[in-house]
Amino acid sequence: MATDQLSTTFAALADPTRRAILARLARGEATVNELAEPFEVSLQAVSKHLKVLEAAGLITRGRMRQWRPCRLETKPLVVVADWVNEYRQFWEAGFDRLDSHLRLLQEPRKETES
C-alpha cells in the first residue's frame, strides 16, 4: 500500500524523540553522536530514528571526510504547515461563532413589557 508524503511526515513527527532531534537540527548540523547525547538510548536507537526522519524527507545526511552531518530539510514541514493552514479558516470561523454565542449568553436579558 502506497503512503502519501503527508502521512509519512506525520508518522515521523509522532515520536517525541524524533521531534527533539528535529528541534536540535533546527539550530544547525549535527552528527549522530551529537544528536544522541541528550537521550538515554543507544546510538543504534538514534540511528533508527534518523532513518525514519530521512525516509520522510525531514533530514539529509552528508559526508565530509570523516564527518557525517545530519541536516534539517524543511520542505516536508512546509507541506504540513500548508495543510494545517487550509483548516485554520474553518477553526477560526468556529471560534468566532462560539465567541458570538457566548457574548449573547452574557448579555442581560431584557424584560418584555406586558
Side-chain angles (χ1 to χ4, degrees), residues 25-49:
L25 291 175
R27 292 183 284 143
E29 296 178 350
T31 64
V32 175
N33 287 334
E34 291 169 334
L35 292 171
E37 283 177 14
F39 304 107
E40 294 183 16
V41 296
S42 67
L43 281 175
Q44 183 180 9
V46 171
S47 289
K48 286 182 181 182
H49 284 297

PDB file of all heavy atoms in Angstrom, residues 25-49:
ATOM      1  N   LEU A  25      18.326  19.883  15.198  1.00  0.00           N
ATOM      2  CA  LEU A  25      18.837  20.178  13.857  1.00  0.00           C
ATOM      3  C   LEU A  25      18.390  21.543  13.349  1.00  0.00           C
ATOM      4  O   LEU A  25      19.036  22.108  12.471  1.00  0.00           O
ATOM      5  CB  LEU A  25      18.427  19.071  12.880  1.00  0.00           C
ATOM      6  CG  LEU A  25      19.116  17.729  13.106  1.00  0.00           C
ATOM      7  CD1 LEU A  25      18.543  16.669  12.168  1.00  0.00           C
ATOM      8  CD2 LEU A  25      20.631  17.848  12.941  1.00  0.00           C
ATOM      9  N   ALA A  26      17.330  22.078  13.917  1.00  0.00           N
ATOM     10  CA  ALA A  26      16.899  23.424  13.538  1.00  0.00           C
ATOM     11  C   ALA A  26      17.946  24.464  13.943  1.00  0.00           C
ATOM     12  O   ALA A  26      18.000  25.553  13.383  1.00  0.00           O
ATOM     13  CB  ALA A  26      15.553  23.758  14.175  1.00  0.00           C
ATOM     14  N   ARG A  27      18.800  24.102  14.896  1.00  0.00           N
ATOM     15  CA  ARG A  27      19.878  25.006  15.334  1.00  0.00           C
ATOM     16  C   ARG A  27      21.143  24.818  14.515  1.00  0.00           C
ATOM     17  O   ARG A  27      22.081  25.585  14.646  1.00  0.00           O
ATOM     18  CB  ARG A  27      20.189  24.781  16.802  1.00  0.00           C
ATOM     19  CG  ARG A  27      19.047  25.214  17.710  1.00  0.00           C
ATOM     20  CD  ARG A  27      19.382  25.048  19.162  1.00  0.00           C
ATOM     21  NE  ARG A  27      19.290  23.632  19.499  1.00  0.00           N
ATOM     22  CZ  ARG A  27      20.091  22.989  20.340  1.00  0.00           C
ATOM     23  NH1 ARG A  27      21.049  23.618  20.973  1.00  0.00           N
ATOM     24  NH2 ARG A  27      19.928  21.711  20.579  1.00  0.00           N
ATOM     25  N   GLY A  28      21.188  23.779  13.665  1.00  0.00           N
ATOM     26  CA  GLY A  28      22.355  23.558  12.826  1.00  0.00           C
ATOM     27  C   GLY A  28      22.676  22.076  12.681  1.00  0.00           C
ATOM     28  O   GLY A  28      22.097  21.228  13.367  1.00  0.00           O
ATOM     29  N   GLU A  29      23.593  21.797  11.788  1.00  0.00           N
ATOM     30  CA  GLU A  29      24.003  20.422  11.518  1.00  0.00           C
ATOM     31  C   GLU A  29      24.552  19.753  12.770  1.00  0.00           C
ATOM     32  O   GLU A  29      25.086  20.425  13.653  1.00  0.00           O
ATOM     33  CB  GLU A  29      25.095  20.399  10.455  1.00  0.00           C
ATOM     34  CG  GLU A  29      24.656  20.905   9.107  1.00  0.00           C
ATOM     35  CD  GLU A  29      25.795  20.900   8.097  1.00  0.00           C
ATOM     36  OE1 GLU A  29      26.961  20.690   8.481  1.00  0.00           O
ATOM     37  OE2 GLU A  29      25.502  21.115   6.912  1.00  0.00           O
ATOM     38  N   ALA A  30      24.417  18.428  12.810  1.00  0.00           N
ATOM     39  CA  ALA A  30      24.951  17.670  13.939  1.00  0.00           C
ATOM     40  C   ALA A  30      25.236  16.237  13.492  1.00  0.00           C
ATOM     41  O   ALA A  30      24.605  15.725  12.571  1.00  0.00           O
ATOM     42  CB  ALA A  30      23.959  17.665  15.094  1.00  0.00           C
ATOM     43  N   THR A  31      26.174  15.616  14.170  1.00  0.00           N
ATOM     44  CA  THR A  31      26.481  14.213  13.905  1.00  0.00           C
ATOM     45  C   THR A  31      25.538  13.327  14.721  1.00  0.00           C
ATOM     46  O   THR A  31      24.846  13.798  15.623  1.00  0.00           O
ATOM     47  CB  THR A  31      27.937  13.882  14.298  1.00  0.00           C
ATOM     48  OG1 THR A  31      28.058  14.060  15.714  1.00  0.00           O
ATOM     49  CG2 THR A  31      28.936  14.765  13.569  1.00  0.00           C
ATOM     50  N   VAL A  32      25.550  12.039  14.421  1.00  0.00           N
ATOM     51  CA  VAL A  32      24.729  11.092  15.173  1.00  0.00           C
ATOM     52  C   VAL A  32      25.114  11.126  16.652  1.00  0.00           C
ATOM     53  O   VAL A  32      24.246  11.136  17.530  1.00  0.00           O
ATOM     54  CB  VAL A  32      24.868   9.668  14.600  1.00  0.00           C
ATOM     55  CG1 VAL A  32      24.106   8.664  15.453  1.00  0.00           C
ATOM     56  CG2 VAL A  32      24.375   9.622  13.160  1.00  0.00           C
ATOM     57  N   ASN A  33      26.407  11.164  16.935  1.00  0.00           N
ATOM     58  CA  ASN A  33      26.854  11.226  18.335  1.00  0.00           C
ATOM     59  C   ASN A  33      26.335  12.472  19.032  1.00  0.00           C
ATOM     60  O   ASN A  33      25.892  12.410  20.185  1.00  0.00           O
ATOM     61  CB  ASN A  33      28.381  11.180  18.422  1.00  0.00           C
ATOM     62  CG  ASN A  33      28.942   9.814  18.115  1.00  0.00           C
ATOM     63  OD1 ASN A  33      28.261   8.805  18.291  1.00  0.00           O
ATOM     64  ND2 ASN A  33      30.176   9.772  17.647  1.00  0.00           N
ATOM     65  N   GLU A  34      26.381  13.608  18.363  1.00  0.00           N
ATOM     66  CA  GLU A  34      25.876  14.847  18.953  1.00  0.00           C
ATOM     67  C   GLU A  34      24.366  14.775  19.179  1.00  0.00           C
ATOM     68  O   GLU A  34      23.860  15.237  20.203  1.00  0.00           O
ATOM     69  CB  GLU A  34      26.216  16.045  18.057  1.00  0.00           C
ATOM     70  CG  GLU A  34      27.695  16.358  18.008  1.00  0.00           C
ATOM     71  CD  GLU A  34      28.057  17.358  16.919  1.00  0.00           C
ATOM     72  OE1 GLU A  34      27.330  17.458  15.907  1.00  0.00           O
ATOM     73  OE2 GLU A  34      29.078  18.040  17.090  1.00  0.00           O
ATOM     74  N   LEU A  35      23.661  14.165  18.235  1.00  0.00           N
ATOM     75  CA  LEU A  35      22.214  14.045  18.370  1.00  0.00           C
ATOM     76  C   LEU A  35      21.822  13.074  19.475  1.00  0.00           C
ATOM     77  O   LEU A  35      20.787  13.235  20.112  1.00  0.00           O
ATOM     78  CB  LEU A  35      21.599  13.599  17.039  1.00  0.00           C
ATOM     79  CG  LEU A  35      21.685  14.625  15.903  1.00  0.00           C
ATOM     80  CD1 LEU A  35      21.250  13.994  14.594  1.00  0.00           C
ATOM     81  CD2 LEU A  35      20.853  15.856  16.222  1.00  0.00           C
ATOM     82  N   ALA A  36      22.659  12.081  19.706  1.00  0.00           N
ATOM     83  CA  ALA A  36      22.361  11.056  20.713  1.00  0.00           C
ATOM     84  C   ALA A  36      22.637  11.527  22.140  1.00  0.00           C
ATOM     85  O   ALA A  36      22.073  10.969  23.092  1.00  0.00           O
ATOM     86  CB  ALA A  36      23.165   9.801  20.418  1.00  0.00           C
ATOM     87  N   GLU A  37      23.484  12.537  22.310  1.00  0.00           N
ATOM     88  CA  GLU A  37      23.908  12.987  23.647  1.00  0.00           C
ATOM     89  C   GLU A  37      22.781  13.175  24.657  1.00  0.00           C
ATOM     90  O   GLU A  37      22.864  12.661  25.768  1.00  0.00           O
ATOM     91  CB  GLU A  37      24.733  14.280  23.541  1.00  0.00           C
ATOM     92  CG  GLU A  37      26.140  14.061  23.071  1.00  0.00           C
ATOM     93  CD  GLU A  37      26.898  15.367  22.900  1.00  0.00           C
ATOM     94  OE1 GLU A  37      26.417  16.419  23.388  1.00  0.00           O
ATOM     95  OE2 GLU A  37      27.961  15.335  22.268  1.00  0.00           O
ATOM     96  N   PRO A  38      21.709  13.891  24.330  1.00  0.00           N
ATOM     97  CA  PRO A  38      20.700  14.151  25.371  1.00  0.00           C
ATOM     98  C   PRO A  38      19.776  12.968  25.687  1.00  0.00           C
ATOM     99  O   PRO A  38      18.984  13.042  26.613  1.00  0.00           O
ATOM    100  CB  PRO A  38      19.891  15.319  24.796  1.00  0.00           C
ATOM    101  CG  PRO A  38      20.094  15.264  23.330  1.00  0.00           C
ATOM    102  CD  PRO A  38      21.444  14.642  23.116  1.00  0.00           C
ATOM    103  N   PHE A  39      19.882  11.895  24.932  1.00  0.00           N
ATOM    104  CA  PHE A  39      18.952  10.781  25.100  1.00  0.00           C
ATOM    105  C   PHE A  39      19.617   9.613  25.816  1.00  0.00           C
ATOM    106  O   PHE A  39      20.789   9.347  25.640  1.00  0.00           O
ATOM    107  CB  PHE A  39      18.427  10.308  23.735  1.00  0.00           C
ATOM    108  CG  PHE A  39      17.786  11.400  22.941  1.00  0.00           C
ATOM    109  CD1 PHE A  39      18.422  11.929  21.828  1.00  0.00           C
ATOM    110  CD2 PHE A  39      16.556  11.920  23.314  1.00  0.00           C
ATOM    111  CE1 PHE A  39      17.840  12.949  21.093  1.00  0.00           C
ATOM    112  CE2 PHE A  39      15.974  12.935  22.588  1.00  0.00           C
ATOM    113  CZ  PHE A  39      16.611  13.450  21.474  1.00  0.00           C
ATOM    114  N   GLU A  40      18.823   8.911  26.606  1.00  0.00           N
ATOM    115  CA  GLU A  40      19.309   7.729  27.300  1.00  0.00           C
ATOM    116  C   GLU A  40      18.968   6.487  26.485  1.00  0.00           C
ATOM    117  O   GLU A  40      18.349   5.546  26.980  1.00  0.00           O
ATOM    118  CB  GLU A  40      18.700   7.653  28.699  1.00  0.00           C
ATOM    119  CG  GLU A  40      19.166   8.785  29.596  1.00  0.00           C
ATOM    120  CD  GLU A  40      18.614   8.677  31.001  1.00  0.00           C
ATOM    121  OE1 GLU A  40      18.125   7.608  31.399  1.00  0.00           O
ATOM    122  OE2 GLU A  40      18.671   9.686  31.708  1.00  0.00           O
ATOM    123  N   VAL A  41      19.366   6.514  25.223  1.00  0.00           N
ATOM    124  CA  VAL A  41      19.167   5.375  24.324  1.00  0.00           C
ATOM    125  C   VAL A  41      20.477   5.120  23.593  1.00  0.00           C
ATOM    126  O   VAL A  41      21.372   5.962  23.577  1.00  0.00           O
ATOM    127  CB  VAL A  41      18.022   5.626  23.311  1.00  0.00           C
ATOM    128  CG1 VAL A  41      16.685   5.788  24.011  1.00  0.00           C
ATOM    129  CG2 VAL A  41      18.310   6.829  22.436  1.00  0.00           C
ATOM    130  N   SER A  42      20.571   3.976  22.970  1.00  0.00           N
ATOM    131  CA  SER A  42      21.793   3.609  22.258  1.00  0.00           C
ATOM    132  C   SER A  42      21.937   4.404  20.964  1.00  0.00           C
ATOM    133  O   SER A  42      20.965   4.980  20.453  1.00  0.00           O
ATOM    134  CB  SER A  42      21.767   2.115  21.931  1.00  0.00           C
ATOM    135  OG  SER A  42      20.743   1.854  20.983  1.00  0.00           O
ATOM    136  N   LEU A  43      23.151   4.419  20.441  1.00  0.00           N
ATOM    137  CA  LEU A  43      23.384   5.044  19.136  1.00  0.00           C
ATOM    138  C   LEU A  43      22.566   4.331  18.064  1.00  0.00           C
ATOM    139  O   LEU A  43      22.091   4.964  17.124  1.00  0.00           O
ATOM    140  CB  LEU A  43      24.873   4.989  18.769  1.00  0.00           C
ATOM    141  CG  LEU A  43      25.770   6.031  19.422  1.00  0.00           C
ATOM    142  CD1 LEU A  43      27.231   5.784  19.058  1.00  0.00           C
ATOM    143  CD2 LEU A  43      25.363   7.431  19.013  1.00  0.00           C
ATOM    144  N   GLN A  44      22.409   3.030  18.221  1.00  0.00           N
ATOM    145  CA  GLN A  44      21.621   2.258  17.263  1.00  0.00           C
ATOM    146  C   GLN A  44      20.164   2.737  17.257  1.00  0.00           C
ATOM    147  O   GLN A  44      19.559   2.864  16.193  1.00  0.00           O
ATOM    148  CB  GLN A  44      21.684   0.770  17.602  1.00  0.00           C
ATOM    149  CG  GLN A  44      20.963  -0.106  16.610  1.00  0.00           C
ATOM    150  CD  GLN A  44      21.054  -1.581  16.971  1.00  0.00           C
ATOM    151  OE1 GLN A  44      21.508  -1.949  18.042  1.00  0.00           O
ATOM    152  NE2 GLN A  44      20.599  -2.424  16.061  1.00  0.00           N
ATOM    153  N   ALA A  45      19.610   3.017  18.430  1.00  0.00           N
ATOM    154  CA  ALA A  45      18.237   3.518  18.511  1.00  0.00           C
ATOM    155  C   ALA A  45      18.117   4.893  17.853  1.00  0.00           C
ATOM    156  O   ALA A  45      17.152   5.155  17.125  1.00  0.00           O
ATOM    157  CB  ALA A  45      17.773   3.582  19.961  1.00  0.00           C
ATOM    158  N   VAL A  46      19.090   5.747  18.095  1.00  0.00           N
ATOM    159  CA  VAL A  46      19.077   7.077  17.465  1.00  0.00           C
ATOM    160  C   VAL A  46      19.201   6.925  15.952  1.00  0.00           C
ATOM    161  O   VAL A  46      18.506   7.609  15.193  1.00  0.00           O
ATOM    162  CB  VAL A  46      20.191   7.981  18.038  1.00  0.00           C
ATOM    163  CG1 VAL A  46      20.317   9.268  17.241  1.00  0.00           C
ATOM    164  CG2 VAL A  46      19.907   8.296  19.498  1.00  0.00           C
ATOM    165  N   SER A  47      20.039   6.007  15.505  1.00  0.00           N
ATOM    166  CA  SER A  47      20.187   5.763  14.064  1.00  0.00           C
ATOM    167  C   SER A  47      18.870   5.312  13.440  1.00  0.00           C
ATOM    168  O   SER A  47      18.542   5.713  12.315  1.00  0.00           O
ATOM    169  CB  SER A  47      21.267   4.716  13.804  1.00  0.00           C
ATOM    170  OG  SER A  47      22.531   5.252  14.086  1.00  0.00           O
ATOM    171  N   LYS A  48      18.109   4.504  14.150  1.00  0.00           N
ATOM    172  CA  LYS A  48      16.799   4.076  13.636  1.00  0.00           C
ATOM    173  C   LYS A  48      15.859   5.270  13.509  1.00  0.00           C
ATOM    174  O   LYS A  48      15.129   5.389  12.521  1.00  0.00           O
ATOM    175  CB  LYS A  48      16.189   3.009  14.543  1.00  0.00           C
ATOM    176  CG  LYS A  48      16.855   1.658  14.399  1.00  0.00           C
ATOM    177  CD  LYS A  48      16.190   0.622  15.293  1.00  0.00           C
ATOM    178  CE  LYS A  48      16.882  -0.720  15.155  1.00  0.00           C
ATOM    179  NZ  LYS A  48      16.237  -1.755  15.980  1.00  0.00           N
ATOM    180  N   HIS A  49      15.883   6.155  14.500  1.00  0.00           N
ATOM    181  CA  HIS A  49      15.066   7.372  14.417  1.00  0.00           C
ATOM    182  C   HIS A  49      15.487   8.219  13.220  1.00  0.00           C
ATOM    183  O   HIS A  49      14.645   8.751  12.498  1.00  0.00           O
ATOM    184  CB  HIS A  49      15.184   8.195  15.699  1.00  0.00           C
ATOM    185  CG  HIS A  49      14.410   7.647  16.849  1.00  0.00           C
ATOM    186  ND1 HIS A  49      13.038   7.527  16.843  1.00  0.00           N
ATOM    187  CD2 HIS A  49      14.815   7.187  18.064  1.00  0.00           C
ATOM    188  CE1 HIS A  49      12.627   7.024  17.993  1.00  0.00           C
ATOM    189  NE2 HIS A  49      13.690   6.807  18.759  1.00  0.00           N
TER     190      HIS A  49
END
